[in-house]
Each structure stands twice: as C-alpha cells, then as structure tokens.
C-alpha cells in the first residue's frame, strides 16, 4: 500500500501517461542519473557514481528490451542502446567522465528526437 503523497502522485502520473510521455520520462530519468553519476565522478564519490550510472544502465536496458523488432529502426536503436550501455559501464569501471558525457550526448539527442515525434503523432496511442 502506498502511503506517501509523493508515491501516490508518481504512481498516478505513470498510470495516466501516454506511451510517448512514458518514453520521455525514461529518457529524462536516464539523463538525470548520468548527470548525477558524472557529479559523483567529479567529486570522487565512487558510491554515488556507481549507483547512478547503474540506474542509467537499467533504464537504457529497459528501453532496449521494449523495442519492437518489426520496425527497421529498432535494429539501429538496439545497437545504439547497446553502445550507450557499454559507455556507461566503461565510465563506471574506468571512472571516465568522457564516456559518461558521450552516453549523455546520445541520450539527450534521442530524447529531443522522440519529443518531436510525440508532438507530431495526433493520437499518442500509436507509440
């Protein structure tokens, strides 16, 4: 049972979101966690970096697992997501801000692209 008002709001937000809005929320979360992981790397807070880069990896894995393989674009997106996960693992293992920045760049561009696509779809149920 959810008792926290914040948790109730969050659950309601997810349940009432369109597929396009949910996709953007996933990107927003991954981007937020990468930035937090980079901050951990800059502060030499290995635990903070590991936690947040790991959360970003989980979100990108989820994005990858929900791809519909009946669309040709899914193959390219899957490869890109796989590379982003590689960059996040590399950032975490080697404590490389550059790898995290590269992953952040890809996800930021994809998020912007999807945001435009969501605006173009009259009924977002198509996503």
């Amino acid at each position: 049972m959810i008792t926290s008002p914040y948790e109730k709001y969050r659950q309601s937000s997810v349940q009432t979101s369109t597929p396009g809005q949910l996709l953007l929320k996933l990107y927003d979360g991954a981007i937020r966690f990468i930035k937090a992981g980079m901050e951990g790397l800059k502060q030499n807070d290995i635990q903070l970096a590991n936690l947040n880069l790991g959360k970003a990896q989980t979100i990108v894995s989820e994005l990858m697992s929900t791809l519909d393989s009946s669309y040709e674009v899914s193959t390219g997106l899957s490869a890109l997501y796989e590379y982003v996960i590689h960059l996040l693992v590399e950032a975490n293992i080697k404590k490389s801000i550059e790898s995290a920045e590269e992953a952040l760049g890809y996800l930021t561009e994809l998020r912007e692209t999807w945001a435009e696509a969501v605006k173009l779809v009259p009924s977002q149920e198509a996503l």
Side-chain angles (χ1 to χ4, degrees), residues 28-108:
D28 289 341
I31 289 167
R32 184 177 64 250
F33 289 130
I34 291 172
K35 288 179 179 178
M38 289 170 57
E39 191 58 36
L41 291 173
K42 289 175 186 171
Q43 296 173 3
N44 205 27
D45 185 338
I46 304 308
Q47 186 174 359
L48 179 67
N50 182 54
L51 175 69
N52 287 290
L53 292 173
K55 287 181 178 183
Q57 287 173 43
T58 301
I59 292 172
V60 176
S61 293
E62 179 64 23
L63 288 167
M64 192 181 202
S65 71
T66 60
L67 289 172
D68 184 346
S69 61
S70 66
Y71 295 99
E72 189 176 325
V73 71
S74 294
T75 304
L77 276 174
S78 181
L80 184 56
Y81 289 150
E82 194 171 319
Y83 182 61
V84 168
I85 291 170
H86 165 77
L87 289 170
L88 293 171
V89 169
E90 184 174 75
N92 209 357
I93 291 172
K94 296 182 178 178
K95 309 308 176 218
S96 168
I97 291 177
E98 294 80 14
S99 295
E101 285 174 342
E102 186 177 350
L104 179 63
Y106 288 126
L107 292 181
T108 301

Side-chain angles (χ1 to χ4, degrees), residues 20-31:
Q21 290 169 332
L22 288 173
L23 180 67
L24 294 176
K25 287 179 185 187
L26 285 172
Y27 277 107
D28 289 341
I31 289 167

